[in-house]
Amino acid sequence: MGDNSPRTDTSTDMEGDAKLDDGHHLTTGGSNTSDHEAGTKNGDSKALRRLAQNREAARKSRLRKKAYVQQLESSRIKLNQLEQELQRARQQGLYLGPGSYSGDQNAHSGGAGGVNANNSAGAAAFDMEYARWVEEQHRQMSELRSALQAHVADTELRVLVDGGMAHYEEIFRMKAVAAKADVFHLVSGMWKTPAERCFMWMGGFRPSELLKILIPQIEPLTEQQVVNICNLQQSSQQAEDALSQGMEALQQSLADTLSAGSLGSSPNVANYMGQMAMAMGKLGSLETFVRQADSLRQQTLQQMHRILTTRQAARGLLAMGDYFARLRALSSLWSARPRE
């Protein structure tokens, strides 16, 4: 009865088939082992590369997000300051144009210098371009600060430093165009805030003074770097002295030309026109002095860029941007001070 049972026959056949299947897998599995291991290794290396790429992308995304948040916060603070200044101007019955401060009331309420600047299309265009330049510099400084805090690689930091240097090249180009349109507007500093105008020299900053501000911010320096920076500071000071002496000589020459003859009496028309023609010719030198001063500023920045490492240059650009931003903030605080 046990031998003729259908259950027993079926069980025996299934066991036999299973054994055949096991043998087949054993036979074919050995030949595919090396291929399977190679595929696994290739898959692991690809997965590691994708993981590293994802991590780098996530890190850059966090940096961009952080810089964006800082930019929004800074824009919000500046907007609040501008709204407060506008409200004070309305209360006092004054109008303050874009980029102006209440310290410039005389220029915008009928002063001769303010009327000339507002009537000059070239000066007005420069003021608008400069306002946009300051906004872009603020964005670059936020990005540079985030990169330094995150300790990014030098290759990534170098891109930001080169961008900051190119941004300063742009302001020198803008000033060269503005000097041709209205050199008096540029030299007067009406495009700057009141606190910045206290430190202006020939339409900008003194390179030697700026070096004194930057050196403590980029230390430690190597011995060779210290020597190079000291030489640069000395040569900048000598060039500044030469330009200042030339400007004084020009001013004295202009005064002598305009005061020639008798003052206070009815002038001879021919003599008067001759004096004005001579004075106009000498004023052409003023534009030359401003261009030379900007060239000195530009060369000083370029030399510093060559002397410093990428990370030192990044700290120097950030310190320079923060210094000018503090001067602008000081002007805002000064204009908002209580008045008795």
Side-chain angles (χ1 to χ4, degrees):
M1 293 179 60
D3 293 339
N4 296 329
S5 172
R7 181 187 301 271
T8 303
D9 293 340
T10 303
S11 174
T12 304
D13 293 341
M14 292 177 63
E15 290 176 358
D17 292 341
K19 291 178 180 180
L20 290 175
D21 291 341
D22 292 341
H24 174 74
H25 286 303
L26 289 173
T27 303
T28 59
S31 62
N32 295 331
T33 299
S34 59
D35 294 339
H36 178 71
E37 290 178 353
T40 301
K41 292 180 179 179
N42 292 333
D44 290 342
S45 62
K46 291 180 180 178
L48 290 174
R49 284 198 300 270
R50 284 196 299 270
L51 182 59
Q53 292 173 354
N54 292 339
R55 287 176 178 173
E56 180 64 16
R59 185 184 65 82
K60 292 182 178 180
S61 177
R62 288 194 298 270
L63 286 176
R64 288 193 296 267
K65 182 178 180 181
K66 186 176 181 181
Y68 179 69
V69 170
Q70 291 177 345
Q71 181 181 357
L72 288 179
E73 178 63 18
S74 181
S75 298
R76 181 188 66 80
I77 295 174
K78 184 175 182 180
L79 180 60
N80 290 337
Q81 292 175 347
L82 292 177
E83 289 176 348
Q84 292 174 3
E85 293 179 11
L86 181 59
Q87 183 63 28
R88 286 192 301 272
R90 288 171 177 170
Q91 292 174 356
Q92 298 172 5
L94 299 173
Y95 170 73
L96 295 180
S100 300
Y101 291 80
S102 54
D104 303 332
Q105 292 171 5
N106 182 54
H108 290 275
S109 60
V115 172
N116 291 334
N118 289 334
N119 291 337
S120 173
F126 172 75
D127 288 350
M128 294 178 61
E129 289 184 356
Y130 178 70
R132 288 192 290 267
W133 185 90
V134 171
E135 290 294 333
E136 174 61 19
Q137 186 193 39
H138 179 75
R139 186 196 66 79
Q140 289 186 356
M141 292 302 100
S142 297
E143 190 174 5
L144 192 59
R145 182 178 290 103
S146 299
L148 285 172
Q149 292 175 349
H151 302 288
V152 300
D154 284 355
T155 53
E156 186 174 347
L157 196 60
R158 189 177 298 112
V159 175
L160 300 178
V161 171
D162 291 343
M165 292 295 297
H167 194 54
Y168 277 101
E169 297 287 338
E170 177 66 13
I171 190 59
F172 293 131
R173 183 197 64 78
M174 291 163 48
K175 290 176 68 179
V177 176
K180 293 181 180 180
D182 191 347
V183 68
F184 286 111
H185 179 70
L186 201 63
V187 173
S188 68
M190 297 307 296
W191 49 286
K192 287 279 193 178
T193 59
E196 289 177 290
R197 289 201 293 270
C198 289
F199 299 94
M200 283 193 67
W201 171 78
M202 291 192 181
F205 58 85
R206 283 183 176 270
S208 61
E209 293 297 325
L210 190 64
L211 289 176
K212 294 178 183 178
I213 296 172
L214 295 183
I215 289 175
Q217 307 299 325
I218 57 181
E219 293 177 341
L221 298 167
T222 65
E223 184 177 350
Q224 186 60 48
Q225 285 178 322
V226 172
V227 172
N228 291 337
I229 292 176
C230 288
N231 291 335
L232 177 61
Q233 191 170 12
Q234 183 178 5
S235 62
S236 297
Q237 183 67 61
Q238 292 173 350
E240 291 169 18
D241 293 342
L243 286 174
S244 296
Q245 292 173 5
M247 179 66 80
E248 292 175 0
L250 173 62
Q251 292 172 341
Q252 184 62 50
S253 179
L254 277 172
D256 294 341
T257 301
L258 294 176
S259 63
S262 59
L263 297 175
S265 59
S266 297
N268 180 283
V269 176
N271 292 338
Y272 179 80
M273 295 305 296
Q275 286 177 323
M276 291 299 105
M278 291 179 61
M280 287 290 291
K282 292 180 179 181
L283 274 181
S285 302
L286 183 60
E287 180 184 339
T288 302
F289 279 115
V290 173
R291 287 202 308 266
Q292 290 176 346
D294 270 346
S295 178
L296 177 60
R297 286 183 272 265
Q298 186 177 13
Q299 292 175 10
T300 302
L301 289 178
Q302 291 172 349
Q303 289 293 332
M304 282 293 290
H305 187 209
R306 297 188 186 97
I307 293 172
L308 301 177
T309 65
T310 299
R311 202 158 296 272
Q312 289 172 333
R315 294 203 306 268
L317 284 174
L318 186 59
M320 186 162 55
D322 282 347
Y323 174 72
F324 291 124
R326 291 181 182 184
L327 285 177
R328 291 191 291 268
L330 180 61
S331 294
S332 297
L333 293 173
W334 176 254
S335 65
R337 73 192 187 282
R339 295 179 175 84
E340 298 181 354

